[in-house]
Amino acid sequence: MDVKVKPHPRFTEIYQVKLEDGAQRLATRNLVPGRSVYGERLIRFKGVEYRVWDAFRSKLAAAILKGVQTVPITPGVKVLYLGAASGTTPSHVSDIVGEKGHVYCVEFASRSLRDLVDNVCAYRP
């Protein structure tokens, strides 16, 4: 069975992925093709690269899987992300808002902030 990707029925720029083993996952279109942020799987489908979004590492992804009604993060918006840590969820938020949006991150732990800057911010417009 091949990997299949389809748009999420409710949320823009969030995708549903069906993996080879039949497992269902969320994904975002990779804003920086070829680059993984936290070791997540990269998938190519019909010429587009997607990053599998690990719901065990992201409360936002878990909330979407559990049926949250509203995700006000859409292309072009500005997002203030408090407690960004090393950038797992903010990187997916960045994929969603795209090049015309902005994600402003706040993190007080110096090690996490360094990882965020070195592994996410340095590669995203």
Side-chain angles (χ1 to χ4, degrees):
M1 175 182 250
D2 292 323
V3 172
K4 297 204 184 322
V5 178
K6 64 180 183 178
H8 191 280
R10 300 189 66 192
F11 306 121
T12 306
E13 290 302 321
I14 297 174
Y15 299 87
Q16 296 175 318
V17 176
K18 187 172 185 180
L19 300 175
E20 300 89 349
D21 63 358
Q24 301 276 342
R25 300 285 186 270
L26 292 178
T28 55
R29 186 186 327 228
N30 196 353
L31 190 60
V32 187
R35 182 129 186 105
S36 169
V37 172
Y38 56 96
E40 72 279 13
R41 182 172 171 187
L42 303 178
I43 293 173
R44 287 198 77 72
F45 182 74
K46 294 186 178 180
V48 177
E49 186 174 273
Y50 299 88
R51 298 173 47 233
V52 174
W53 196 355
D54 187 348
F56 290 100
R57 297 184 66 169
S58 170
K59 291 175 193 77
L60 179 57
I64 292 167
L65 288 176
K66 287 290 190 180
V68 71
Q69 297 296 306
T70 305
V71 176
I73 302 167
T74 57
V77 302
K78 295 176 185 165
V79 175
L80 174 60
Y81 198 100
L82 304 176
S86 59
T88 298
T89 302
S91 67
H92 287 284
V93 172
S94 172
D95 288 341
I96 295 166
V97 303
E99 291 186 16
K100 294 185 178 175
H102 288 85
V103 180
Y104 299 95
C105 294
V106 175
E107 178 54 53
F108 68 89
S110 59
R111 167 90 192 257
S112 294
L113 183 60
R114 184 186 70 223
D115 291 344
L116 172 68
V117 170
D118 291 347
N119 299 325
V120 180
C121 301
Y123 297 96
R124 291 174 176 260

